[in-house]
Amino acid sequence: MSRAAKRERFWLNGRFVSESGARVSVLDRGVLYGDALYEVVRFYGRKIFLLDDHLDRLFDEAEAIALPKRFERKAITRAVCGLVARSEKPDGLVLLQWTRGEGPRRLAPPPGLRGTVFAIRFDLPTIPAALRRRGVNVITLPDERWLSTHIKSTNLLASVLARKKADEAGAYEAVLHRGRGPRARITEATSSSFFLVKRGRLVTPAVRGLLPGITRSVVLAVARKEGIPIEERTVRLGEIRNADEAFLTATSAEVLPIGRVNGAPLRHPAPGPVTKRLGRAFARFRGRVLAGTPRVAPA
Ligand code: PLP
């Protein structure tokens, strides 16, 4: 394999391609309507972390919205492994995107669509170690996304605008809420799940209607094992003010302490003791899972 082929970062509809070959039609429904799903998986030392969980989520959602199944799970697994094999770096992310495919422009999907599937390998976004230690700043914003946020749709305009506001405010993330005032219901952040800690109890919005975050479920599992009491329930915006600690979870960020919310520090300087404990427990879980995960041989 040539050096250029070895570094290919793109896979499109069955082929590894260079960036110039990674083109979809302007009539693709992913482009026209955001009629598509996505998934992000992470690899550590060329081992893909919890790939089955990510593929389960993707295929369940694809079934829920009746996306045409252009590729079986095996082919998509091979695509992800191929991109990891072609990576010069042992660690990174692979984005998978699956659209309803190309066809005449009309909202109701015409019959006979095949679907479009592509994957792109990315470097991990760098979160400076000092920021990770001190905790990130977040702002709170109304959740203007569609209501079916348990579907990881590429229709992300509301999230883009919320992140733009967060960026402009010098914040890392926006924590979203539905409703107004202190009784507004926290949902999640634009690309992470949200947790707070109050008097040693771990509190997180119940997942119904929200993205079932894979990192979130790992954190809940390790918290249970650690004997930390868990409350999965409606979480009110006003509760942040009295929280001892808060953190975000996501595939790329793992367990990320929050330092300030709308400029105000939490009760415990970040990372608080429960966040730290869960961060360590998450790392141990990850180590155990990766120990039993095959390493993708470099191409
Ligand atoms: N919530 C939203 C809205 C997300 O987009 C993401 C990740 O992209 C998450 C939560 C975290 O999910 P996971 O832990 O599966 O990466």
Side-chain angles (χ1 to χ4, degrees):
M1 198 182 290
S2 74
R3 194 172 159 73
K6 212 173 160 179
R7 277 186 276 118
E8 274 160 355
R9 303 204 287 125
F10 303 89
W11 177 92
L12 171 64
N13 289 336
R15 293 174 52 209
F16 293 98
V17 288
S18 64
E19 185 169 353
S20 61
R23 296 284 181 266
V24 295
S25 164
V26 291
L27 289 176
D28 193 284
R29 294 177 64 88
V31 178
L32 290 175
Y33 300 126
D35 186 359
L37 298 174
Y38 75 106
E39 194 54 56
V40 178
V41 300
R42 179 166 177 172
F43 56 100
Y44 299 80
R46 296 187 192 283
K47 293 180 172 193
I48 306 164
F49 186 51
L50 300 179
L51 178 60
D52 277 339
D53 300 61
H54 285 277
L55 292 182
D56 284 348
R57 184 165 72 182
L58 181 66
F59 277 80
D60 286 353
E61 291 177 2
E63 201 176 313
I65 65 166
L67 280 188
K69 203 174 185 186
R70 182 158 181 173
F71 293 97
E72 296 295 330
R73 192 175 164 122
K74 256 194 187 158
I76 295 184
T77 302
R78 275 200 301 271
V80 176
C81 291
L83 289 177
V84 173
R86 284 164 171 76
S87 176
E88 287 190 330
K89 297 185 183 163
D91 302 311
L93 298 173
V94 176
L95 165 78
L96 275 166
Q97 206 150 306
W98 177 350
T99 86
R100 203 176 297 279
E102 187 185 334
R105 185 185 180 278
R106 63 178 173 94
L107 281 173
L113 295 177
R114 293 183 68 200
T116 298
V117 185
F118 60 86
I120 311 174
R121 187 185 64 243
F122 288 103
D123 285 344
L124 278 167
T126 40
I127 303 172
L131 194 58
R132 220 172 227 297
R133 266 199 309 277
R134 271 201 318 271
V136 295
N137 294 345
V138 300
I139 58 171
T140 57
L141 287 176
D143 191 342
E144 293 178 349
R145 301 172 305 161
W146 73 324
L147 292 175
S148 300
T149 46
H150 59 291
I151 304 275
K152 209 165 157 62
S153 139
T154 61
N155 228 317
L156 290 168
L157 181 57
S159 307
V160 167
L161 296 180
R163 276 300 268 274
K164 182 169 180 291
K165 281 189 185 156
D167 256 19
E168 287 160 2
Y172 170 85
E173 248 289 24
V175 173
L176 306 173
H177 54 84
R178 302 220 190 245
R180 288 171 182 277
R183 290 198 48 79
R185 185 170 61 83
I186 294 175
T187 51
E188 56 195 327
T190 62
S191 61
S192 30
S193 309
F194 177 79
F195 289 81
L196 59 81
V197 179
K198 182 72 190 164
R199 288 193 207 93
R201 302 179 76 79
L202 185 62
V203 182
T204 192
V207 83
R208 206 164 164 258
L210 301 180
L211 188 80
I214 288 167
T215 322
R216 174 188 183 279
S217 63
V218 170
V219 164
L220 289 175
V222 298
R224 239 169 252 127
K225 248 184 118 181
E226 294 276 312
I228 298 171
I230 294 168
E231 295 177 20
E232 281 186 85
R233 59 166 171 81
T234 301
V235 184
R236 305 285 176 195
L237 189 56
E239 290 184 67
I240 294 184
R241 206 158 23 100
N242 298 315
D244 298 323
E245 309 172 34
F247 61 88
L248 302 168
T249 63
T251 294
S252 57
E254 302 182 327
V255 176
L256 186 62
I258 294 176
R260 287 173 180 265
V261 180
N262 297 329
L266 291 145
R267 287 206 168 163
H268 272 296
V274 176
T275 308
K276 258 203 233 162
R277 193 168 154 203
L278 288 171
R280 285 196 295 262
F282 177 87
R284 284 196 299 275
F285 173 90
R286 186 190 63 209
R288 280 197 303 276
V289 170
L290 290 177
T293 303
R295 196 183 302 279
V296 177

